Amino acid sequence: MTEHFDVYGGARLTGEVAVVGAKNSVLKLMAAALLAEGTTTITNCPTILDVPLMADVLRSVGCEVAIDGDLVTITTPAELSHHADTSAMGKLRASVCVLGPLVGRLKRAVVALPGGDAIGSRPLDMHQNGLRKLGATSEIAHGCVVAEADGLHGAQIWLDFPSVGATENILMAAVLAKGTTVIDNAAREPEIIDLCRMLQQMGAHIEGAGTSTLTVHGVDELRPTTHRVIGDRIVGATWAFAAATTRGDITVRGVDPHHLDLVLEKLRLAGAEITTFNDSEDQGFRIVQHDRPIAVDFVTLPYPGFATDLQPFAVALSAISDGTSMITENVYEARFRFIDEMVRLGADARTDGHHAVVRGVEKLSSAPVWASDIRAGAGLVLAGLCAEGITEVWDVFHIDRGYPYFVENLNRLGGHIERVSSVTERG
């Protein structure tokens, strides 16, 4: 039994939508709970498939995990297993983030290599090199990352690329290391800041969160805490592109608009009217697109640049814009496979290495398409809303991994999307 979405074209999305906790933050916060014996509570968690998958990873090393709506409770025992090898690991890219906490607390970890989205290689060289700098040995053996140390010590670590995953793993190993660790060229994403805040609440000493240099003064132990996940900027941006692509009017609540400064500026250039609000009680923005979008160029870069996760939405917007857009992908080499599916929908797009040229057309046409990852799936749905006829989007389990109540929210905004169960095989 498989599922696909039937997406009916011609909708103009209007109304309000709420954004919950960030997928790219909650999974790392759950992993951080391994660092302290006792019960850690995480609130504002998204109800997505990746959360119970990460819960299974934590259970595999001895934790008790309870999920109740947007509340996740993790009880970490005094004695943990160092061996994280469960079927959930192969379905979840972020599962490798248990490596740093296990090495930091147990001085040993055997972590199955992760799976997840088909968007290109995500080598673990920087993760391993960082752990080696901290005093651990690390190798790939029998499909697992194996790391071990007599003890961890502070170090000066330079990352060749500001990798989010490597920054997180090194950071979570360093908080319990002896001495001071400096991570240069660290990732600066809001999700990194969120992790630093939670670790600080647990008793870690961290300086420089949100900058390219993180300084970690190791402590002997950490304590459990309660922490609220920040709003998901990628989901917030998805709704922003949904408004611009369908010439809609959407108010998005629950996300800090400053986390989307560049995205909103790009959509202004495309002709959208945007207002933002940001106080302790209400965060978000409203985006209104009256006319056909104007073509804009996009270049993906680490934060604060334009996120690679948003590249499919940039392609979808460009496909129906007035003019020609150049889109450059600098992070994941396989992400342009999404464009093959857009061409099925009538997009005029060509790729050459890291670049794609998209010449906008007035309207796309429906076709069966397949999602290769979370954001590609959501991007195909947005494109289907701008296509004549009914577009079938297959492999929608990817979308469910990143978007809570995606179909329900789209339908509330005026779209017409149906989830269909089928025994039809992809052919």
Side-chain angles (χ1 to χ4, degrees), residues 320-393:
I320 51 85
S321 290
D322 184 7
T324 299
S325 300
M326 171 76 79
I327 299 168
T328 303
E329 174 57 55
N330 290 311
V331 182
Y332 291 128
E333 69 275 9
R335 198 139 223 172
F336 276 152
R337 70 176 60 189
F338 167 80
I339 289 181
D340 293 337
E341 301 305 303
M342 286 295 300
V343 170
R344 290 176 185 265
L345 295 175
D348 183 353
R350 301 290 184 274
T351 60
D352 181 8
H354 290 276
H355 305 283
V357 175
V358 183
R359 296 175 176 85
V361 298
E362 289 196 13
K363 190 176 286 290
L364 301 172
S365 58
S366 60
V369 290
W370 284 265
S372 56
D373 65 77
I374 296 169
R375 313 307 170 183
L380 290 170
V381 171
L382 298 192
L385 292 170
C386 301
E388 292 181 335
I390 303 172
T391 296
E392 294 181 359
V393 180

Side-chain angles (χ1 to χ4, degrees), residues 34 52-65 74-75 77 79-89 95 98 102 106 110-112:
L34 295 171
L53 287 174
M54 180 56 82
D56 285 344
V57 173
L58 298 184
R59 292 185 187 110
S60 76
V61 297
C63 295
E64 295 179 7
V65 185
I74 303 163
T75 301
E79 298 295 329
L80 277 173
S81 169
H82 65 267
H83 198 163
D85 187 2
T86 171
S87 61
M89 303 288 288
S95 59
V98 301
L102 290 177
L106 305 179
V110 179
V111 177

Side-chain angles (χ1 to χ4, degrees), residues 307-327:
T308 181
D309 277 0
L310 302 180
Q311 184 243 89
F313 309 118
V315 173
L317 178 72
S318 301
I320 51 85
S321 290
D322 184 7
T324 299
S325 300
M326 171 76 79
I327 299 168

Side-chain angles (χ1 to χ4, degrees), residues 69-412:
D70 69 350
L71 183 72
V72 174
T73 304
I74 303 163
T75 301
T76 303
E79 298 295 329
L80 277 173
S81 169
H82 65 267
H83 198 163
D85 187 2
T86 171
S87 61
M89 303 288 288
K91 304 172 185 176
L92 189 65
R93 287 278 190 176
S95 59
V96 77
C97 67
V98 301
L99 177 64
L102 290 177
V103 174
R105 185 166 170 206
L106 305 179
K107 307 301 181 285
R108 177 166 171 75
V110 179
V111 177
L113 291 172
D117 294 330
I119 55 177
S121 62
R122 300 193 192 189
L124 300 179
D125 293 355
M126 285 186 286
H127 302 243
Q128 295 188 86
N129 289 338
L131 295 179
R132 292 177 186 131
K133 289 278 190 178
L134 295 172
T137 61
S138 184
E139 62 177 349
I140 306 292
H142 307 293
C144 294
V145 185
V146 181
E148 190 171 7
D150 293 330
L152 298 181
H153 55 74
Q156 187 86 26
I157 299 171
W158 169 267
L159 299 180
D160 292 334
F161 178 85
S163 161
V164 172
T167 299
E168 291 163 339
N169 261 327
I170 296 166
L171 172 65
M172 288 190 279
V175 291
L176 292 177
K178 299 291 184 183
T180 298
T181 298
V182 178
I183 308 171
D184 281 317
N185 200 29
R188 300 166 55 189
E189 275 76 357
E191 295 79 17
I192 295 287
I193 300 173
D194 200 26
L195 176 60
C196 287
R197 286 174 178 164
M198 176 169 163
L199 292 171
Q200 288 166 336
Q201 290 167 204
M202 297 171 74
H205 295 170
I206 303 168
E207 301 167 3
T211 74
S212 59
T213 301
L214 288 173
T215 302
V216 184
H217 305 285
V219 297
D220 292 333
E221 63 179 3
L222 297 178
R223 58 184 177 271
T225 190
T226 297
H227 183 80
R228 179 180 174 84
V229 186
I230 61 168
D232 196 318
R233 63 191 172 96
I234 303 300
V235 173
T238 302
W239 298 122
F241 274 97
T245 303
T246 66
R247 306 186 198 184
D249 179 352
I250 299 177
T251 297
V252 181
R253 300 186 185 278
V255 62
D256 186 340
H258 291 310
H259 294 167
L260 295 169
D261 282 342
L262 180 57
V263 173
L264 298 180
E265 179 57 29
K266 286 290 186 180
L267 294 179
R268 282 191 184 96
L269 293 174
E273 295 178 3
I274 298 171
T275 54
T276 62
F277 44 93
N278 192 9
D279 57 49
S280 59
E281 299 298 324
D282 198 14
Q283 290 184 315
F285 57 89
R286 179 185 178 190
I287 176 165
V288 184
Q289 184 84 35
H290 294 291
D291 302 312
R292 185 180 176 190
I294 301 165
V296 178
D297 293 337
F298 296 88
V299 178
T300 69
L301 288 167
Y303 190 85
F306 188 82
T308 181
D309 277 0
L310 302 180
Q311 184 243 89
F313 309 118
V315 173
L317 178 72
S318 301
I320 51 85
S321 290
D322 184 7
T324 299
S325 300
M326 171 76 79
I327 299 168
T328 303
E329 174 57 55
N330 290 311
V331 182
Y332 291 128
E333 69 275 9
R335 198 139 223 172
F336 276 152
R337 70 176 60 189
F338 167 80
I339 289 181
D340 293 337
E341 301 305 303
M342 286 295 300
V343 170
R344 290 176 185 265
L345 295 175
D348 183 353
R350 301 290 184 274
T351 60
D352 181 8
H354 290 276
H355 305 283
V357 175
V358 183
R359 296 175 176 85
V361 298
E362 289 196 13
K363 190 176 286 290
L364 301 172
S365 58
S366 60
V369 290
W370 284 265
S372 56
D373 65 77
I374 296 169
R375 313 307 170 183
L380 290 170
V381 171
L382 298 192
L385 292 170
C386 301
E388 292 181 335
I390 303 172
T391 296
E392 294 181 359
V393 180
W394 291 84
D395 292 348
V396 296
F397 64 89
H398 286 297
I399 301 173
D400 292 333
R401 288 182 45 229
Y403 292 90
Y405 308 113
F406 189 60
V407 170
E408 294 84 349
N409 280 322
L410 281 168
N411 286 332
R412 275 195 293 269

